[in-house]
Amino acid sequence: DVKVTQSSRYLVKRTGEKVFLECVQDMDHENMFWYRQDPGLGLRLIYFSYDVKMKEKGDIPEGYSVSREKKERFSLILESASTNQTSMYLCASTPLDGLAGYFGPGTRLTVL
Amino acid sequence: ELKVEQNPLFLSMQEGKNYTIYCNYSTTSDRLYWYRQDPGKSLESLFVLLSNGAVKQEGRLMASLDTKARLSTLHITAAVHDLSATYFCAVDGIDNTDKLIFGTGTRLQVFP
Protein backbone atom coordinates (compact mmCIF):
# COMPACT_ATOMS: atom_id res chain seq x y z
CA ASP A 1 0.00 0.00 0.00
CA VAL A 2 2.92 2.29 -0.78
CA LYS A 3 1.86 5.84 -1.62
CA VAL A 4 4.67 8.33 -0.94
CA THR A 5 8.19 7.21 -0.23
CA GLN A 6 11.29 9.18 0.68
CA SER A 7 14.79 7.97 -0.03
CA SER A 8 16.10 8.09 3.53
CA ARG A 9 14.59 8.16 7.00
CA TYR A 10 17.76 9.49 8.62
CA LEU A 11 20.65 11.34 7.04
CA VAL A 12 23.78 12.90 8.48
CA LYS A 13 25.82 15.28 6.33
CA ARG A 14 28.63 17.75 6.82
CA THR A 15 28.49 21.49 6.28
CA GLY A 16 29.07 22.36 2.64
CA GLU A 17 28.02 19.00 1.23
CA LYS A 18 25.47 18.77 -1.56
CA VAL A 19 22.45 16.82 -0.36
CA PHE A 20 19.73 15.14 -2.41
CA LEU A 21 16.40 14.15 -0.91
CA GLU A 22 14.19 12.05 -3.15
CA CYS A 23 10.44 11.65 -3.04
CA VAL A 24 8.38 9.24 -5.13
CA GLN A 25 4.59 8.91 -5.26
CA ASP A 26 2.60 6.16 -6.96
CA MET A 27 -0.82 7.82 -7.14
CA ASP A 28 -0.33 9.82 -10.34
CA HIS A 29 -0.81 13.07 -8.40
CA GLU A 30 -0.11 16.31 -10.18
CA ASN A 31 1.06 18.34 -7.17
CA MET A 32 4.07 17.58 -5.03
CA PHE A 33 5.46 19.52 -2.09
CA TRP A 34 8.52 19.74 0.12
CA TYR A 35 8.15 20.99 3.69
CA ARG A 36 10.45 21.22 6.62
CA GLN A 37 9.16 20.73 10.11
CA ASP A 38 10.84 22.30 13.12
CA PRO A 39 9.67 22.40 16.74
CA GLY A 40 7.44 25.39 17.37
CA LEU A 41 7.36 26.39 13.70
CA GLY A 42 4.99 23.84 12.24
CA LEU A 43 5.35 22.84 8.60
CA ARG A 44 6.91 25.42 6.32
CA LEU A 45 6.64 25.09 2.57
CA ILE A 46 9.97 25.09 0.74
CA TYR A 47 8.94 24.40 -2.86
CA PHE A 48 6.05 22.85 -4.69
CA SER A 49 5.45 21.58 -8.20
CA TYR A 50 2.17 21.32 -10.06
CA ASP A 51 3.51 19.55 -13.13
CA VAL A 52 6.60 17.98 -14.60
CA LYS A 53 9.42 20.50 -14.91
CA MET A 54 7.30 23.13 -13.16
CA LYS A 55 8.21 24.50 -9.76
CA GLU A 56 7.12 27.30 -7.50
CA LYS A 57 8.84 28.77 -4.48
CA GLY A 58 7.23 28.31 -1.14
CA ASP A 59 7.80 30.42 1.93
CA ILE A 60 11.42 29.44 2.64
CA PRO A 61 13.17 28.50 -0.63
CA GLU A 62 16.56 30.04 0.21
CA GLY A 63 19.33 27.48 0.18
CA TYR A 64 17.21 24.87 -1.62
CA SER A 65 16.43 23.89 -5.17
CA VAL A 66 14.15 21.23 -6.63
CA SER A 67 13.83 19.04 -9.67
CA ARG A 68 10.84 17.33 -11.18
CA GLU A 69 11.80 15.47 -14.33
CA LYS A 70 9.09 12.83 -13.99
CA LYS A 71 5.60 13.13 -12.62
CA GLU A 72 6.15 10.64 -9.83
CA ARG A 73 9.45 12.02 -8.56
CA PHE A 74 10.25 15.30 -6.82
CA SER A 75 13.76 15.94 -5.57
CA LEU A 76 14.93 18.48 -3.02
CA ILE A 77 18.52 19.65 -3.29
CA LEU A 78 20.58 21.42 -0.70
CA GLU A 79 23.37 22.94 -2.77
CA SER A 80 25.67 23.53 0.20
CA ALA A 81 24.27 22.17 3.42
CA SER A 82 24.41 24.34 6.51
CA THR A 83 23.70 23.56 10.14
CA ASN A 84 20.50 25.61 10.09
CA GLN A 85 19.12 23.15 7.57
CA THR A 86 19.06 20.43 10.19
CA SER A 87 15.39 19.50 10.25
CA MET A 88 12.71 16.98 9.43
CA TYR A 89 11.85 17.11 5.73
CA LEU A 90 8.43 15.96 4.60
CA CYS A 91 7.31 15.34 1.06
CA ALA A 92 3.63 15.32 0.09
CA SER A 93 1.56 14.85 -3.03
CA THR A 94 -2.01 15.91 -3.79
CA PRO A 95 -4.35 15.52 -6.76
CA LEU A 96 -5.79 18.46 -8.65
CA ASP A 97 -9.37 17.84 -7.55
CA GLY A 98 -8.98 19.18 -4.02
CA LEU A 99 -8.94 15.85 -2.26
CA ALA A 100 -6.46 15.35 0.50
CA GLY A 101 -2.99 14.21 -0.30
CA TYR A 102 -0.49 11.90 1.28
CA PHE A 103 2.72 12.50 3.11
CA GLY A 104 5.91 10.54 3.00
CA PRO A 105 7.46 9.17 6.20
CA GLY A 106 9.91 12.07 6.46
CA THR A 107 13.68 12.40 6.37
CA ARG A 108 15.43 13.60 9.49
CA LEU A 109 18.49 15.44 8.24
CA THR A 110 21.33 16.42 10.54
CA VAL A 111 24.02 18.75 9.22
CA LEU A 112 27.19 18.75 11.30
CA GLU B 1 0.69 36.59 2.46
CA LEU B 2 -1.45 33.73 3.64
CA LYS B 3 -1.32 32.99 7.33
CA VAL B 4 -2.91 30.00 8.97
CA GLU B 5 -3.22 30.17 12.72
CA GLN B 6 -4.35 27.51 15.12
CA ASN B 7 -5.29 27.76 18.74
CA PRO B 8 -4.61 26.51 21.17
CA LEU B 9 -1.07 25.37 20.42
CA PHE B 10 -1.13 22.92 23.31
CA LEU B 11 -4.12 21.21 24.81
CA SER B 12 -4.13 18.86 27.74
CA MET B 13 -7.53 17.39 28.43
CA GLN B 14 -9.08 14.68 30.50
CA GLU B 15 -10.68 11.63 28.96
CA GLY B 16 -14.39 12.06 28.45
CA LYS B 17 -14.24 15.83 28.01
CA ASN B 18 -15.14 17.87 24.94
CA TYR B 19 -13.02 20.53 23.34
CA THR B 20 -12.61 22.53 20.13
CA ILE B 21 -9.51 23.43 18.13
CA TYR B 22 -9.72 26.54 15.98
CA CYS B 23 -8.08 27.28 12.65
CA ASN B 24 -8.14 30.80 11.21
CA TYR B 25 -6.74 31.77 7.85
CA SER B 26 -6.11 35.16 6.40
CA THR B 27 -7.02 34.84 2.70
CA THR B 28 -10.07 33.58 0.88
CA SER B 29 -9.96 29.85 0.24
CA ASP B 30 -12.62 27.23 -0.27
CA ARG B 31 -10.53 24.23 0.63
CA LEU B 32 -9.40 23.29 4.10
CA TYR B 33 -7.81 20.09 5.37
CA TRP B 34 -7.20 18.56 8.77
CA TYR B 35 -4.29 16.22 9.37
CA ARG B 36 -3.10 14.22 12.33
CA GLN B 37 0.51 13.53 13.24
CA ASP B 38 1.61 11.01 15.85
CA PRO B 39 5.02 11.45 17.50
CA GLY B 40 7.81 10.40 15.17
CA LYS B 41 5.38 9.72 12.36
CA SER B 42 4.29 11.49 9.23
CA LEU B 43 0.96 13.24 8.65
CA GLU B 44 -2.29 11.44 8.02
CA SER B 45 -5.31 13.04 6.40
CA LEU B 46 -8.43 13.31 8.57
CA PHE B 47 -10.88 15.59 6.78
CA VAL B 48 -11.28 17.53 3.57
CA LEU B 49 -13.71 20.47 3.68
CA LEU B 50 -14.49 21.90 0.26
CA SER B 51 -17.32 24.39 0.74
CA ASN B 52 -18.82 26.87 3.13
CA GLY B 53 -20.83 25.12 5.81
CA ALA B 54 -19.19 21.75 5.19
CA VAL B 55 -19.22 19.42 8.16
CA LYS B 56 -17.45 16.08 8.36
CA GLN B 57 -17.44 13.59 11.20
CA GLU B 58 -15.34 10.56 11.95
CA GLY B 59 -15.71 8.89 15.30
CA ARG B 60 -15.15 11.42 18.06
CA LEU B 61 -13.89 14.12 15.70
CA MET B 62 -16.02 16.59 13.79
CA ALA B 63 -14.70 19.31 11.50
CA SER B 64 -16.57 22.29 10.09
CA LEU B 65 -15.79 25.16 7.76
CA ASP B 66 -17.05 28.73 7.64
CA THR B 67 -15.42 30.35 4.62
CA LYS B 68 -16.97 33.74 5.31
CA ALA B 69 -15.36 33.88 8.73
CA ARG B 70 -12.25 32.11 7.39
CA LEU B 71 -12.56 29.69 10.25
CA SER B 72 -12.53 25.95 10.67
CA THR B 73 -13.09 24.05 13.87
CA LEU B 74 -12.15 20.55 14.93
CA HIS B 75 -14.41 19.41 17.73
CA ILE B 76 -13.45 16.55 19.99
CA THR B 77 -16.23 14.70 21.75
CA ALA B 78 -15.61 12.56 24.83
CA ALA B 79 -11.86 12.45 24.31
CA VAL B 80 -9.94 9.20 24.64
CA HIS B 81 -6.22 8.63 25.03
CA ASP B 82 -5.87 7.39 21.44
CA LEU B 83 -6.65 10.88 20.21
CA SER B 84 -3.39 12.20 21.67
CA ALA B 85 -1.47 13.60 18.69
CA THR B 86 -0.69 16.86 16.93
CA TYR B 87 -3.44 18.18 14.69
CA PHE B 88 -2.77 20.45 11.74
CA CYS B 89 -5.11 22.40 9.54
CA ALA B 90 -4.02 23.37 6.04
CA VAL B 91 -5.40 25.64 3.33
CA ASP B 92 -4.88 25.66 -0.41
CA GLY B 93 -6.47 27.15 -3.49
CA ILE B 94 -4.95 30.53 -2.80
CA ASP B 95 -4.50 32.71 -5.88
CA ASN B 96 -5.73 29.84 -8.06
CA THR B 97 -2.77 27.70 -7.12
CA ASP B 98 -2.55 24.45 -5.23
CA LYS B 99 -0.04 25.86 -2.79
CA LEU B 100 -0.79 24.11 0.50
CA ILE B 101 -0.06 26.08 3.66
CA PHE B 102 -0.21 24.57 7.13
CA GLY B 103 -1.13 25.98 10.49
CA THR B 104 1.23 25.78 13.42
CA GLY B 105 -0.39 22.65 14.80
CA THR B 106 -2.18 21.84 18.04
CA ARG B 107 -0.57 19.30 20.29
CA LEU B 108 -3.30 17.38 22.09
CA GLN B 109 -2.65 15.25 25.13
CA VAL B 110 -5.50 13.25 26.63
CA PHE B 111 -4.97 11.89 30.12
CA PRO B 112 -7.09 9.51 32.22
mmCIF file of all heavy atoms in Angstrom, chain B residues 56-91:
data_model
loop_
_atom_site.group_PDB
_atom_site.id
_atom_site.type_symbol
_atom_site.label_atom_id
_atom_site.label_comp_id
_atom_site.label_asym_id
_atom_site.label_seq_id
_atom_site.Cartn_x
_atom_site.Cartn_y
_atom_site.Cartn_z
ATOM 1 N N LYS B 56 -17.826 17.486 8.495
ATOM 2 C CA LYS B 56 -17.451 16.076 8.356
ATOM 3 C C LYS B 56 -17.234 15.500 9.751
ATOM 4 O O LYS B 56 -16.715 16.171 10.642
ATOM 5 C CB LYS B 56 -16.148 15.947 7.542
ATOM 6 C CG LYS B 56 -16.258 16.406 6.095
ATOM 7 C CD LYS B 56 -16.790 15.332 5.228
ATOM 8 C CE LYS B 56 -16.818 15.728 3.766
ATOM 9 N NZ LYS B 56 -15.480 15.633 3.153
ATOM 10 N N GLN B 57 -17.612 14.245 9.901
ATOM 11 C CA GLN B 57 -17.438 13.592 11.202
ATOM 12 C C GLN B 57 -16.845 12.219 11.021
ATOM 13 O O GLN B 57 -17.200 11.482 10.101
ATOM 14 C CB GLN B 57 -18.765 13.501 11.941
ATOM 15 C CG GLN B 57 -18.634 12.910 13.342
ATOM 16 C CD GLN B 57 -19.850 13.143 14.213
ATOM 17 O OE1 GLN B 57 -20.839 13.705 13.757
ATOM 18 N NE2 GLN B 57 -19.770 12.740 15.459
ATOM 19 N N GLU B 58 -15.930 11.888 11.924
ATOM 20 C CA GLU B 58 -15.340 10.558 11.947
ATOM 21 C C GLU B 58 -15.084 10.215 13.400
ATOM 22 O O GLU B 58 -14.221 10.809 14.057
ATOM 23 C CB GLU B 58 -14.023 10.549 11.155
ATOM 24 C CG GLU B 58 -13.315 9.224 11.136
ATOM 25 C CD GLU B 58 -13.942 8.236 10.174
ATOM 26 O OE1 GLU B 58 -14.521 8.677 9.168
ATOM 27 O OE2 GLU B 58 -13.841 7.027 10.439
ATOM 28 N N GLY B 59 -15.871 9.287 13.907
ATOM 29 C CA GLY B 59 -15.707 8.891 15.304
ATOM 30 C C GLY B 59 -15.959 10.065 16.244
ATOM 31 O O GLY B 59 -17.000 10.709 16.190
ATOM 32 N N ARG B 60 -14.990 10.365 17.075
ATOM 33 C CA ARG B 60 -15.146 11.424 18.064
ATOM 34 C C ARG B 60 -14.707 12.794 17.551
ATOM 35 O O ARG B 60 -14.675 13.770 18.307
ATOM 36 C CB ARG B 60 -14.330 11.065 19.304
ATOM 37 C CG ARG B 60 -14.753 9.768 19.951
ATOM 38 C CD ARG B 60 -13.811 9.369 21.073
ATOM 39 N NE ARG B 60 -14.118 8.043 21.566
ATOM 40 C CZ ARG B 60 -15.021 7.782 22.509
ATOM 41 N NH1 ARG B 60 -15.669 8.787 23.073
ATOM 42 N NH2 ARG B 60 -15.241 6.556 22.901
ATOM 43 N N LEU B 61 -14.339 12.871 16.301
ATOM 44 C CA LEU B 61 -13.889 14.121 15.704
ATOM 45 C C LEU B 61 -14.907 14.631 14.696
ATOM 46 O O LEU B 61 -15.435 13.861 13.893
ATOM 47 C CB LEU B 61 -12.545 13.933 15.004
ATOM 48 C CG LEU B 61 -11.375 13.469 15.865
ATOM 49 C CD1 LEU B 61 -10.136 13.269 14.983
ATOM 50 C CD2 LEU B 61 -11.071 14.455 16.966
ATOM 51 N N MET B 62 -15.134 15.951 14.764
ATOM 52 C CA MET B 62 -16.019 16.593 13.794
ATOM 53 C C MET B 62 -15.392 17.903 13.359
ATOM 54 O O MET B 62 -14.998 18.722 14.202
ATOM 55 C CB MET B 62 -17.401 16.857 14.387
ATOM 56 C CG MET B 62 -18.374 17.453 13.376
ATOM 57 S SD MET B 62 -20.041 17.598 14.017
ATOM 58 C CE MET B 62 -19.846 18.922 15.195
ATOM 59 N N ALA B 63 -15.300 18.097 12.044
ATOM 60 C CA ALA B 63 -14.705 19.309 11.496
ATOM 61 C C ALA B 63 -15.756 20.100 10.738
ATOM 62 O O ALA B 63 -16.632 19.531 10.093
ATOM 63 C CB ALA B 63 -13.549 18.958 10.571
ATOM 64 N N SER B 64 -15.643 21.417 10.811
ATOM 65 C CA SER B 64 -16.574 22.289 10.090
ATOM 66 C C SER B 64 -15.812 23.441 9.470
ATOM 67 O O SER B 64 -14.691 23.754 9.876
ATOM 68 C CB SER B 64 -17.647 22.821 11.038
ATOM 69 O OG SER B 64 -17.061 23.670 11.999
ATOM 70 N N LEU B 65 -16.446 24.064 8.476
ATOM 71 C CA LEU B 65 -15.791 25.157 7.760
ATOM 72 C C LEU B 65 -16.765 26.307 7.553
ATOM 73 O O LEU B 65 -17.879 26.107 7.067
ATOM 74 C CB LEU B 65 -15.274 24.667 6.403
ATOM 75 C CG LEU B 65 -14.623 25.707 5.501
ATOM 76 C CD1 LEU B 65 -13.373 26.294 6.162
ATOM 77 C CD2 LEU B 65 -14.272 25.102 4.139
ATOM 78 N N ASP B 66 -16.314 27.497 7.900
ATOM 79 C CA ASP B 66 -17.051 28.728 7.636
ATOM 80 C C ASP B 66 -16.126 29.615 6.802
ATOM 81 O O ASP B 66 -15.241 30.282 7.333
ATOM 82 C CB ASP B 66 -17.410 29.410 8.964
ATOM 83 C CG ASP B 66 -18.195 30.705 8.769
ATOM 84 O OD1 ASP B 66 -18.217 31.224 7.627
ATOM 85 O OD2 ASP B 66 -18.780 31.202 9.740
ATOM 86 N N THR B 67 -16.327 29.609 5.494
ATOM 87 C CA THR B 67 -15.416 30.348 4.616
ATOM 88 C C THR B 67 -15.594 31.856 4.748
ATOM 89 O O THR B 67 -14.654 32.603 4.499
ATOM 90 C CB THR B 67 -15.622 29.949 3.149
ATOM 91 O OG1 THR B 67 -16.986 30.190 2.792
ATOM 92 C CG2 THR B 67 -15.279 28.488 2.934
ATOM 93 N N LYS B 68 -16.763 32.297 5.151
ATOM 94 C CA LYS B 68 -16.969 33.741 5.309
ATOM 95 C C LYS B 68 -16.176 34.268 6.495
ATOM 96 O O LYS B 68 -15.609 35.359 6.442
ATOM 97 C CB LYS B 68 -18.454 34.049 5.476
ATOM 98 C CG LYS B 68 -19.273 33.737 4.230
ATOM 99 C CD LYS B 68 -20.740 34.036 4.430
ATOM 100 C CE LYS B 68 -21.518 33.686 3.165
ATOM 101 N NZ LYS B 68 -22.982 33.899 3.346
ATOM 102 N N ALA B 69 -16.139 33.502 7.552
ATOM 103 C CA ALA B 69 -15.361 33.882 8.731
ATOM 104 C C ALA B 69 -13.913 33.439 8.617
ATOM 105 O O ALA B 69 -13.092 33.775 9.470
ATOM 106 C CB ALA B 69 -15.985 33.274 9.982
ATOM 107 N N ARG B 70 -13.601 32.664 7.566
ATOM 108 C CA ARG B 70 -12.254 32.106 7.388
ATOM 109 C C ARG B 70 -11.843 31.318 8.632
ATOM 110 O O ARG B 70 -10.756 31.508 9.194
ATOM 111 C CB ARG B 70 -11.245 33.195 7.055
ATOM 112 C CG ARG B 70 -11.577 33.912 5.762
ATOM 113 C CD ARG B 70 -10.621 35.021 5.478
ATOM 114 N NE ARG B 70 -11.062 35.822 4.344
ATOM 115 C CZ ARG B 70 -10.530 36.972 3.996
ATOM 116 N NH1 ARG B 70 -9.526 37.472 4.698
ATOM 117 N NH2 ARG B 70 -10.993 37.627 2.952
ATOM 118 N N LEU B 71 -12.740 30.433 9.005
ATOM 119 C CA LEU B 71 -12.556 29.692 10.253
ATOM 120 C C LEU B 71 -12.981 28.239 10.068
ATOM 121 O O LEU B 71 -14.037 27.960 9.487
ATOM 122 C CB LEU B 71 -13.402 30.319 11.358
ATOM 123 C CG LEU B 71 -13.515 29.563 12.675
ATOM 124 C CD1 LEU B 71 -12.167 29.559 13.407
ATOM 125 C CD2 LEU B 71 -14.591 30.195 13.557
ATOM 126 N N SER B 72 -12.154 27.353 10.573
ATOM 127 C CA SER B 72 -12.530 25.950 10.668
ATOM 128 C C SER B 72 -12.363 25.507 12.106
ATOM 129 O O SER B 72 -11.487 26.000 12.816
ATOM 130 C CB SER B 72 -11.676 25.087 9.742
ATOM 131 O OG SER B 72 -12.042 23.729 9.856
ATOM 132 N N THR B 73 -13.203 24.589 12.521
ATOM 133 C CA THR B 73 -13.089 24.048 13.867
ATOM 134 C C THR B 73 -12.973 22.531 13.807
ATOM 135 O O THR B 73 -13.537 21.890 12.911
ATOM 136 C CB THR B 73 -14.304 24.421 14.732
ATOM 137 O OG1 THR B 73 -15.488 23.888 14.131
ATOM 138 C CG2 THR B 73 -14.442 25.915 14.880
ATOM 139 N N LEU B 74 -12.244 21.989 14.743
ATOM 140 C CA LEU B 74 -12.147 20.552 14.931
ATOM 141 C C LEU B 74 -12.636 20.270 16.337
ATOM 142 O O LEU B 74 -11.989 20.650 17.313
ATOM 143 C CB LEU B 74 -10.710 20.070 14.742
ATOM 144 C CG LEU B 74 -10.489 18.565 14.888
ATOM 145 C CD1 LEU B 74 -11.201 17.808 13.773
ATOM 146 C CD2 LEU B 74 -9.003 18.228 14.880
ATOM 147 N N HIS B 75 -13.799 19.644 16.433
ATOM 148 C CA HIS B 75 -14.409 19.408 17.730
ATOM 149 C C HIS B 75 -14.156 17.978 18.178
ATOM 150 O O HIS B 75 -14.337 17.039 17.386
ATOM 151 C CB HIS B 75 -15.907 19.682 17.679
ATOM 152 C CG HIS B 75 -16.563 19.605 19.011
ATOM 153 N ND1 HIS B 75 -16.400 20.587 19.972
ATOM 154 C CD2 HIS B 75 -17.351 18.650 19.564
ATOM 155 C CE1 HIS B 75 -17.070 20.253 21.051
ATOM 156 N NE2 HIS B 75 -17.663 19.087 20.834
ATOM 157 N N ILE B 76 -13.738 17.860 19.410
ATOM 158 C CA ILE B 76 -13.450 16.549 19.991
ATOM 159 C C ILE B 76 -14.531 16.238 21.018
ATOM 160 O O ILE B 76 -14.769 17.030 21.941
ATOM 161 C CB ILE B 76 -12.080 16.558 20.679
ATOM 162 C CG1 ILE B 76 -10.995 16.975 19.677
ATOM 163 C CG2 ILE B 76 -11.766 15.189 21.287
ATOM 164 C CD1 ILE B 76 -9.777 17.550 20.329
ATOM 165 N N THR B 77 -15.159 15.111 20.839
ATOM 166 C CA THR B 77 -16.233 14.704 21.747
ATOM 167 C C THR B 77 -15.786 13.521 22.595
ATOM 168 O O THR B 77 -15.325 12.513 22.056
ATOM 169 C CB THR B 77 -17.489 14.316 20.959
ATOM 170 O OG1 THR B 77 -17.907 15.437 20.163
ATOM 171 C CG2 THR B 77 -18.622 13.921 21.898
ATOM 172 N N ALA B 78 -15.941 13.656 23.907
ATOM 173 C CA ALA B 78 -15.615 12.561 24.831
ATOM 174 C C ALA B 78 -14.238 11.977 24.516
ATOM 175 O O ALA B 78 -14.099 10.807 24.141
ATOM 176 C CB ALA B 78 -16.695 11.483 24.776
ATOM 177 N N ALA B 79 -13.232 12.799 24.705
ATOM 178 C CA ALA B 79 -11.865 12.446 24.310
ATOM 179 C C ALA B 79 -11.400 11.124 24.938
ATOM 180 O O ALA B 79 -11.752 10.785 26.068
ATOM 181 C CB ALA B 79 -10.921 13.563 24.704
ATOM 182 N N VAL B 80 -10.599 10.410 24.168
ATOM 183 C CA VAL B 80 -9.938 9.199 24.642
ATOM 184 C C VAL B 80 -8.437 9.335 24.391
ATOM 185 O O VAL B 80 -8.010 10.134 23.559
ATOM 186 C CB VAL B 80 -10.482 7.925 23.956
ATOM 187 C CG1 VAL B 80 -11.926 7.678 24.343
ATOM 188 C CG2 VAL B 80 -10.340 8.027 22.450
ATOM 189 N N HIS B 81 -7.670 8.517 25.097
ATOM 190 C CA HIS B 81 -6.216 8.629 25.033
ATOM 191 C C HIS B 81 -5.679 8.482 23.604
ATOM 192 O O HIS B 81 -4.706 9.141 23.224
ATOM 193 C CB HIS B 81 -5.564 7.592 25.944
ATOM 194 C CG HIS B 81 -4.073 7.636 25.911
ATOM 195 N ND1 HIS B 81 -3.336 8.674 26.460
ATOM 196 C CD2 HIS B 81 -3.160 6.793 25.359
ATOM 197 C CE1 HIS B 81 -2.055 8.461 26.270
ATOM 198 N NE2 HIS B 81 -1.911 7.325 25.611
ATOM 199 N N ASP B 82 -6.328 7.634 22.814
ATOM 200 C CA ASP B 82 -5.868 7.391 21.437
ATOM 201 C C ASP B 82 -5.916 8.624 20.552
ATOM 202 O O ASP B 82 -5.312 8.637 19.475
ATOM 203 C CB ASP B 82 -6.714 6.293 20.777
ATOM 204 C CG ASP B 82 -6.356 4.916 21.316
ATOM 205 O OD1 ASP B 82 -5.345 4.818 22.052
ATOM 206 O OD2 ASP B 82 -7.079 3.958 21.016
ATOM 207 N N LEU B 83 -6.603 9.650 20.994
ATOM 208 C CA LEU B 83 -6.651 10.881 20.212
ATOM 209 C C LEU B 83 -5.439 11.784 20.465
ATOM 210 O O LEU B 83 -5.277 12.811 19.808
ATOM 211 C CB LEU B 83 -7.926 11.668 20.527
ATOM 212 C CG LEU B 83 -9.232 11.041 20.023
ATOM 213 C CD1 LEU B 83 -10.422 11.894 20.427
ATOM 214 C CD2 LEU B 83 -9.207 10.860 18.510
ATOM 215 N N SER B 84 -4.602 11.416 21.400
ATOM 216 C CA SER B 84 -3.392 12.201 21.670
ATOM 217 C C SER B 84 -2.514 12.222 20.431
ATOM 218 O O SER B 84 -2.103 11.177 19.918
ATOM 219 C CB SER B 84 -2.619 11.590 22.847
ATOM 220 O OG SER B 84 -3.385 11.637 24.022
ATOM 221 N N ALA B 85 -2.239 13.419 19.930
ATOM 222 C CA ALA B 85 -1.466 13.602 18.695
ATOM 223 C C ALA B 85 -1.362 15.100 18.454
ATOM 224 O O ALA B 85 -1.874 15.905 19.231
ATOM 225 C CB ALA B 85 -2.162 12.931 17.510
ATOM 226 N N THR B 86 -0.694 15.457 17.361
ATOM 227 C CA THR B 86 -0.688 16.855 16.932
ATOM 228 C C THR B 86 -1.610 16.986 15.732
ATOM 229 O O THR B 86 -1.532 16.182 14.798
ATOM 230 C CB THR B 86 0.730 17.328 16.582
ATOM 231 O OG1 THR B 86 1.554 17.215 17.741
ATOM 232 C CG2 THR B 86 0.715 18.784 16.129
ATOM 233 N N TYR B 87 -2.462 17.968 15.749
ATOM 234 C CA TYR B 87 -3.443 18.177 14.685
ATOM 235 C C TYR B 87 -3.099 19.461 13.925
ATOM 236 O O TYR B 87 -2.868 20.510 14.517
ATOM 237 C CB TYR B 87 -4.849 18.270 15.273
ATOM 238 C CG TYR B 87 -5.295 16.967 15.870
ATOM 239 C CD1 TYR B 87 -4.975 16.638 17.188
ATOM 240 C CD2 TYR B 87 -6.003 16.035 15.114
ATOM 241 C CE1 TYR B 87 -5.345 15.423 17.739
ATOM 242 C CE2 TYR B 87 -6.389 14.819 15.655
ATOM 243 C CZ TYR B 87 -6.054 14.520 16.967
ATOM 244 O OH TYR B 87 -6.425 13.313 17.496
ATOM 245 N N PHE B 88 -3.071 19.319 12.612
ATOM 246 C CA PHE B 88 -2.769 20.453 11.742
ATOM 247 C C PHE B 88 -3.950 20.747 10.830
ATOM 248 O O PHE B 88 -4.565 19.820 10.295
ATOM 249 C CB PHE B 88 -1.568 20.147 10.835
ATOM 250 C CG PHE B 88 -0.256 20.045 11.556
ATOM 251 C CD1 PHE B 88 0.210 18.824 12.005
ATOM 252 C CD2 PHE B 88 0.527 21.166 11.751
ATOM 253 C CE1 PHE B 88 1.432 18.724 12.654
ATOM 254 C CE2 PHE B 88 1.753 21.079 12.388
ATOM 255 C CZ PHE B 88 2.199 19.851 12.850
ATOM 256 N N CYS B 89 -4.222 22.014 10.628
ATOM 257 C CA CYS B 89 -5.109 22.399 9.537
ATOM 258 C C CYS B 89 -4.242 22.944 8.407
ATOM 259 O O CYS B 89 -3.109 23.381 8.625
ATOM 260 C CB CYS B 89 -6.144 23.424 9.967
ATOM 261 S SG CYS B 89 -5.485 25.015 10.466
ATOM 262 N N ALA B 90 -4.762 22.886 7.195
ATOM 263 C CA ALA B 90 -4.022 23.373 6.037
ATOM 264 C C ALA B 90 -5.010 23.943 5.032
ATOM 265 O O ALA B 90 -6.149 23.490 4.928
ATOM 266 C CB ALA B 90 -3.202 22.256 5.397
ATOM 267 N N VAL B 91 -4.552 24.943 4.283
ATOM 268 C CA VAL B 91 -5.400 25.645 3.327
ATOM 269 C C VAL B 91 -4.701 25.672 1.973
ATOM 270 O O VAL B 91 -3.488 25.881 1.914
ATOM 271 C CB VAL B 91 -5.660 27.086 3.809
ATOM 272 C CG1 VAL B 91 -6.486 27.857 2.792
ATOM 273 C CG2 VAL B 91 -6.371 27.077 5.144
#
